[in-house]
Amino acid sequence: MTSSQATALLTGLAVVIIAAGLLGQLARRFGQPPVIGEILAGILLGPTLFGGALTDALLPADIRPFLTALADVGVAVFMFLVGLEFDRTLVRGTGRIAASVSLASLLLPCGLGMALGAYLLDSHPTDNHTGFVLFMGVAMSITAFPVLARILTDRDLHRTPLGALALCCAAVADVLAWSLLAVVVAVVAPGGHPERALLFLPYLLLMLHPVRRLLGRLLTRPAATAPPAAVLLATVFAGLLLSGAATEWMGLHFIFGAFLFGAVVPRAGSERLRADLRERVGLVNNVLLLPVFFLVAGLQVDLSGLGWSDLGQLALILLVATGGKLVGAYAGAFAVGLDRRISSALAVLMNTRGLTELIILSVGRQLGILDERLYSLMVVMALLTTAMTGPLLEAVYPRRLALRATADDMIRRRTERPYV
């Protein structure tokens, strides 16, 4: 890296951090999760404004590979933290409800998304028709577990029956959706060694048993013999990067390996480590590296050249994405006996996408599945579906009612109250 490149990189990073922070706080003032403003900052710093002149001035083309590398590290750390916070105990006692809501909120939008993908093939040609159709199905079926958790926490709903159930359903749905994405990536990955994907199952078993046990022994050692905190953090970082490298080598994506390593860290005995990772690593990642990811994603979004036909496609994408999630989740919840208001609230919450959707869209862009126009439209869909979550939730299930509701209030009675 030359001196001029270093100067441009550091200056550009400063601008990205400030823009993401300011717009994130602005989004919070309007009752939206900060990720809305941070994604918007990435788009505004991209080629959408001033024909890309602002982008070229702030971020010359020769430093963008460095930004992409930083963004990849940020995404890997983010997915590791998502896996680390994944609590499998959420599904205990709510298995039937979680299964019904998760499957319905996944299958209906996935099916509609594949139908939409088949329709869009003519206007967005690609070499791999099957991969494109499958990818559109997965992209429509995502629920952003981390953003959903943030929305519930900001409204003090994460400890309510509705919040706990929503987190459970979103966790199950996300695991299923990530599994489907892994299949899609294996199908469409260009060239390479497709036989390596067969190693994923042995690798999964290795992570779930020997690696998990080794981590458990390391984390539960007595204080007198426990390694220093710096050694534990170094071990964790090395593990998540090696796990991500392993799944990338297999022809999948590094996000799966990073998530898996976080998920296998035992919860018992790791309370201190988890707190350190959330407070230190998570904070640095959110402030520095994820804004770089939003910028890299925004550099590929150009809304300035969209025409009426593109707006029509955006409306269709929104209809499929929102309608599939709302109808699917509502039907799944109502079918297992939940109150209509609770079913509606769950459906609204399962429609949250945010950063998780952006990561999946970036995978599709890297694999050549999405062209620039469709990628831009899908990013706008991710923004709008996340932004509508808060207002819709307040409309169908006001916070004052959710805070005082009990688990019994969630079950539909034989003679149901009018939906008012």
Side-chain angles (χ1 to χ4, degrees):
M1 181 185 294
T2 65
S3 177
S4 62
Q5 287 177 322
T7 301
L9 177 62
L10 295 175
T11 303
L13 285 176
V15 172
V16 169
I17 292 171
I18 292 171
L22 290 176
L23 288 181
Q25 290 303 311
L26 183 62
R28 186 187 292 276
R29 284 181 174 272
F30 284 94
Q32 295 291 338
V35 69
I36 293 291
E38 293 163 352
I39 295 174
L40 187 59
I43 294 175
L44 294 179
L45 289 174
T48 295
L49 294 180
F50 310 114
L54 178 63
T55 306
D56 295 335
L58 290 175
L59 307 161
D62 58 347
I63 70 167
R64 293 181 189 178
F66 303 112
L67 292 172
T68 301
L70 286 174
D72 286 344
V73 174
V75 170
V77 173
F78 172 79
M79 291 305 301
F80 163 75
L81 292 174
V82 172
L84 191 72
E85 294 301 316
F86 179 67
D87 187 358
R88 290 175 296 173
T89 62
L90 282 174
V91 299
R92 293 176 184 170
T94 58
R96 187 171 66 95
I97 298 176
S100 178
V101 175
S102 302
L103 286 174
S105 68
L106 179 87
L107 294 178
L108 181 59
C110 187
L112 292 175
M114 289 192 291
L116 176 64
Y119 171 77
L120 293 177
L121 271 174
D122 290 338
S123 52
H124 302 277
T126 178
D127 294 334
N128 193 319
H129 292 187
T130 301
F132 179 82
V133 170
L134 291 174
F135 181 85
M136 288 298 293
V138 174
M140 292 296 176
S141 60
I142 284 295
T143 295
F145 178 84
V147 178
L148 173 59
R150 185 63 178 268
I151 291 173
L152 292 171
T153 302
D154 287 345
R155 286 167 170 74
D156 295 324
L157 299 177
H158 57 296
R159 299 187 187 278
T160 64
L162 171 65
L165 182 58
L167 288 173
C168 173
C169 295
V172 175
D174 260 12
V175 169
L176 293 174
W178 285 115
S179 301
L180 288 176
L181 180 63
V183 173
V184 174
V185 172
V187 168
V188 304
H193 302 273
E195 69 278 1
R196 293 179 181 174
L198 299 176
L199 297 174
F200 181 71
L201 183 57
Y203 178 72
L204 178 63
L205 296 175
L206 176 70
M207 294 292 289
L208 291 176
H209 297 289
V211 172
R212 182 179 177 83
R213 284 198 297 268
L214 287 173
L215 287 172
R217 291 176 183 174
L218 181 66
L219 295 174
T220 56
R221 291 175 66 177
T225 60
V231 173
L232 285 177
L233 288 175
T235 302
V236 167
F237 271 113
L240 83 90
L241 294 175
L242 289 174
S243 183
T247 52
E248 184 76 27
W249 179 82
M250 292 175 199
L252 303 175
H253 199 278
F254 65 82
I255 57 177
F256 301 109
F259 173 84
L260 180 59
F261 189 79
V264 301
V265 174
R267 299 188 71 84
S270 65
E271 294 80 4
R272 178 66 181 274
L273 176 64
R274 290 171 184 275
D276 285 344
L277 288 169
R278 281 194 303 267
E279 296 171 7
R280 300 178 185 179
V281 179
L283 181 61
V284 172
N285 197 55
N286 291 339
V287 172
L288 176 61
L289 296 181
L290 281 184
V292 177
F293 169 72
F294 296 136
L295 171 69
V296 171
L299 290 176
Q300 303 177 70
V301 175
D302 188 359
L303 304 179
S304 61
L306 298 183
W308 289 108
S309 61
D310 296 307
L311 294 179
Q313 289 183 10
L314 175 60
L316 190 57
I317 289 171
L318 283 170
L319 178 63
V320 170
T322 305
K325 274 290 184 184
L326 294 181
V327 174
Y330 179 90
F334 193 77
V336 291
L338 293 188
D339 177 87
R340 283 186 290 177
R341 193 186 292 274
I342 297 294
S343 299
S344 300
L346 273 177
V348 169
L349 289 169
M350 294 296 286
N351 192 42
T352 306
R353 288 178 173 86
L355 175 58
T356 308
E357 179 75 18
L358 217 61
I359 293 173
I360 286 187
L361 296 179
S362 296
V363 172
R365 191 78 174 99
Q366 292 169 9
L367 293 175
I369 300 174
L370 301 178
D371 59 27
E372 182 180 288
R373 285 193 304 125
L374 185 55
Y375 174 82
S376 300
L377 296 178
M378 295 291 284
V379 169
V380 173
M381 178 273 289
L383 267 174
L384 294 179
T385 52
T386 304
M388 69 175 62
T389 299
L392 279 179
L393 180 62
E394 187 64 24
V396 302
Y397 197 40
R399 179 172 173 271
R400 57 182 174 79
L401 297 180
L403 287 175
R404 66 172 187 248
T406 66
D408 289 339
D409 294 329
M410 299 175 64
I411 306 301
R412 188 170 68 249
R413 307 295 194 270
R414 287 186 179 181
T415 304
E416 195 173 40
R417 297 184 303 276
Y419 186 68
V420 295

